[in-house]
């Protein structure tokens, strides 16, 4: 098992919660430590003569014609991504760690015409744009689209390289938040963010505490190929779509107590989890395709991938989704079996789980996995030898 080192613990823990999962140091300009208590960057001191990269105005003008990609935040499904998950920035991180912030900034300006390579969120963002293209074919005037916002702790001078990279990869991201070390969470609320993806686990927890769906992204060394025409999103159940109520019962009373609790409460809805509203946002866009007769070839497909058992505890999960007016296209009840092989078959653009045990298993199979640091599992990590829990 080898997770991308940019997104893996390097010996630090979250000082606010000693029981929480370790936090990746934010050290390439996309984390708090890179900018606080630093002198203001002075470009004149660098003596750089880098020539700006010429960008095709024709491509940009063609895309914005008719206001196609500028929906109002209240109408869009807004996905905020950090630069460290959208692109690969390990080299830049090493420059910061070894030489400090000023040399890091100098390096970025000197290399601003060199595009970053795709990161773990890249294929997900490309799939969002593919869905947008289909939506615009069916609803030319609608603003109900995915809107991507790049959120980064970086100084604004790094923005030139980010813009050059976005244009190089033919992405359409016009909304930036470059906070220069300030917390991005307030901006997420201002954008009415539906999902926040970051490499900074501490900021992900902060976003979750503000009621924003959020996850820490991870990436394996060998990613499986994913669809270029259909967005596929897979969710764990408890502590992701649902609350961690049932997980707490399992931790306290064991598997038998968990099954009995689910039978006794079969008709009582589970409380909402941190990503329930994001599933609802996906479902809202799916229904726009269904209304035009595209249920079977819908470019959005969702999956519930849970360690729950179907007969013993699955019915409560399904009844809860139905009562919420939500659905997943597929539901896999694995009864404790490993999730990795199922995810390898699904090949989602992103998979959300609250337990690092399952995130690691997904990454081993080449799946882009995202950790939702929510619920009791953060205090009682799932041991790898156990396959019977949630």
């Amino acid at each position: 098992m080898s997770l991308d080192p940019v997104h893996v613990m390097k010996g630090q823990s979250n000082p606010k919660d000693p029981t929480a999962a370790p936090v990746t140091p934010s050290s390439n300009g996309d984390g708090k430590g890179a900018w606080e208590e630093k002198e203001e960057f002075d470009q004149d001191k660098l003596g750089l003569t880098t020539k700006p990269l010429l960008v095709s105005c024709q491509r940009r003008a063609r895309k914005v014609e008719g206001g196609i990609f500028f929906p109002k935040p209240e109408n869009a499904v807004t996905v905020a991504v950090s630069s460290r998950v959208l692109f690969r920035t390990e080299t830049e991180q090493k420059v910061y760690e070894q030489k400090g912030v000023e040399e890091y900034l100098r390096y970025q300006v000197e290399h601003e015409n060199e595009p970053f390579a795709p990161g773990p969120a890249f294929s997900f963002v490309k799939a969002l744009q593919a869905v947008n293209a289909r939506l615009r074919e069916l609803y030319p005037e609608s603003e109900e689209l995915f809107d991507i916002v790049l959120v980064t702790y970086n100084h604004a001078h790094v923005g030139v390289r980010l813009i050059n990279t976005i244009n190089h990869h033919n992405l359409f991201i016009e909304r930036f938040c470059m906070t220069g070390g300030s917390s991005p969470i307030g901006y997420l609320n201002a954008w009415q963010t539906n999902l926040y993806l970051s490499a900074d686990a501490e900021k992900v927890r902060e976003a979750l505490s503000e009621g924003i769906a959020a996850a820490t992204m991870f990436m394996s060394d060998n990613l499986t190929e994913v669809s270029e025409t259909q967005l596929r999103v897979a969710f764990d159940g408890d502590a992701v779509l649902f609350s961690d109520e049932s997980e707490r019962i399992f931790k306290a009373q064991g598997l038998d107590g968990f099954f009995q609790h689910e039978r006794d409460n079969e008709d009582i809805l589970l409380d909402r989890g941190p990503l329930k509203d994001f599933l609802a946002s996906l479902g809202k866009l799916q229904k726009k395709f269904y209304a035009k007769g595209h249920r079977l070839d819908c470019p959005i497909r969702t999956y519930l991938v849970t360690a729950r058992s179907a007969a013993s505890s699955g019915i409560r999960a399904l009844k809860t989704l139905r009562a919420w007016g939500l659905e997943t296209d597929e539901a896999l009840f694995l009864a404790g079996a490993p999730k990795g092989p199922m995810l390898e078959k699904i090949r989602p653009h992103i998979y959300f789980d609250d337990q690092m045990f399952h995130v690691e298993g997904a990454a081993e199979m080449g799946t882009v996995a995202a950790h939702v640091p929510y619920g009791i599992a953060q205090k009682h990590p799932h041991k790898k030898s156990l396959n019977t829990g949630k």
Side-chain angles (χ1 to χ4, degrees):
M1 167 61 200
S2 177
L3 291 176
D4 187 313
V6 173
H7 314 294
V8 177
M9 163 63 184
K10 292 187 178 180
Q12 295 184 3
S13 297
N14 180 11
K16 296 181 181 179
D17 184 0
T19 64
V23 180
T24 303
S26 299
S27 55
N28 74 332
D30 204 32
K32 185 177 180 180
W35 303 111
E36 286 193 346
E37 300 179 1
K38 300 295 182 181
E39 293 182 1
E40 183 177 357
F41 173 58
D42 187 351
Q43 187 180 27
D44 295 335
K45 294 180 181 179
L46 297 182
L48 299 174
T49 59
T50 304
K51 295 181 180 180
L53 184 68
L54 296 178
V55 178
S56 170
C57 294
Q58 182 179 6
R59 180 191 72 82
R60 188 180 299 273
R62 184 168 61 249
K63 283 200 171 185
V64 302
E65 183 180 356
I68 290 176
F69 284 90
F70 292 103
K72 297 180 179 68
E74 60 267 27
N75 296 329
V77 176
T78 301
V79 177
V81 295
S82 77
S83 57
R84 284 179 61 197
V85 299
L86 186 56
F87 304 121
R88 302 295 296 256
T89 59
E90 294 92 327
T91 299
E92 290 70 25
Q93 179 176 340
K94 290 179 181 178
V95 171
Y96 170 80
E97 291 173 346
Q98 297 171 5
K99 299 182 179 181
V101 66
E102 294 300 330
E103 286 300 316
Y104 164 81
L105 289 169
R106 181 193 298 273
Y107 180 93
Q108 291 281 33
V109 174
E110 289 179 341
H111 294 80
E112 64 186 19
N113 292 341
E114 300 173 15
F116 294 112
F122 186 87
S123 62
F124 176 64
V125 168
K126 292 287 284 187
L128 299 182
Q129 294 186 171
V131 173
N132 277 351
R134 290 283 304 277
L135 282 168
R136 293 304 294 185
E137 291 174 359
L138 298 175
Y139 301 92
E141 303 302 321
S142 177
E143 289 190 358
E144 292 183 300
L145 303 163
F146 289 111
D147 192 22
I148 300 101
V149 179
L150 185 68
V151 178
T152 173
Y153 275 106
N154 263 305
H155 191 285
H157 285 289
V158 184
V160 174
R161 190 177 186 192
L162 290 171
I163 292 170
N164 286 341
T165 299
I166 286 169
N167 289 331
H168 171 81
H169 291 296
N170 200 31
L171 299 175
F172 195 84
I173 303 175
E174 294 289 350
R175 288 173 169 150
F176 274 38
C177 284
M178 306 191 69
T179 66
S182 299
S183 173
I185 303 304
Y187 293 110
L188 298 181
N189 285 316
W191 286 117
Q192 302 183 38
T193 301
N194 298 94
L195 177 68
Y196 173 50
L197 300 175
S198 175
D200 188 331
E202 182 179 352
K203 286 304 166 195
V204 166
R205 282 191 285 269
E206 187 177 342
L208 289 171
S209 70
E210 292 289 324
I212 299 169
T216 311
M217 289 204 74
F218 295 88
M219 177 170 147
S220 66
D221 293 329
N222 299 305
L223 294 178
T224 57
E225 293 184 4
V226 293
S227 173
E228 295 182 357
T229 58
Q230 184 181 61
L231 170 67
R232 298 176 186 175
V233 183
F235 300 88
D236 180 30
D238 297 290
V240 175
L241 292 180
F242 315 120
S243 74
D244 68 337
E245 168 202 331
S246 297
E247 180 69 20
R248 290 177 179 273
I249 297 295
F250 170 72
K251 297 296 185 185
Q253 302 179 22
L255 193 59
D256 290 341
F258 165 75
F259 285 149
Q260 185 61 49
H261 176 267
E262 293 304 296
R263 286 193 292 268
D264 292 343
N265 294 276
E266 177 181 304
D267 294 320
I268 298 176
L269 301 184
L270 289 160
D271 288 333
R272 57 186 294 156
L275 265 67
K276 180 256 186 180
D277 285 347
F278 181 60
L279 174 63
S281 298
L282 295 177
K284 182 179 179 180
L285 294 184
Q286 282 180 308
K287 289 176 182 177
K288 293 176 70 69
F289 289 102
Y290 301 166
K292 296 288 188 176
H294 292 283
R295 175 178 282 271
L296 297 181
D297 64 339
C298 181
I300 303 173
R301 193 165 185 84
T302 56
Y303 303 79
L304 173 64
V305 182
T306 175
R308 281 176 175 259
S309 304
S312 302
S313 58
I315 193 169
R316 190 181 183 197
L318 293 177
K319 284 185 174 181
T320 297
L321 288 175
R322 186 171 63 189
W324 287 344
L326 303 180
E327 60 182 288
T328 57
D329 294 291
E330 298 187 28
L332 284 73
F333 293 93
L334 304 184
K339 297 181 179 181
M342 299 297 106
L343 293 167
E344 185 182 28
K345 176 65 176 177
I346 294 170
R347 299 195 172 190
H349 292 86
I350 192 168
Y351 165 63
F352 298 100
D353 202 292
D354 67 304
Q355 299 195 40
M356 280 301 300
F357 169 82
H358 294 305
V359 171
E360 292 170 356
E364 286 177 351
M365 307 301 291
T367 297
V368 173
H371 180 229
V372 182
Y374 173 86
I376 195 172
Q378 313 315 306
K379 297 183 178 181
H380 303 281
H382 193 146
K383 296 180 181 179
K384 199 161 188 175
S385 61
L386 296 178
N387 288 316
T388 54
K390 191 223 30 99

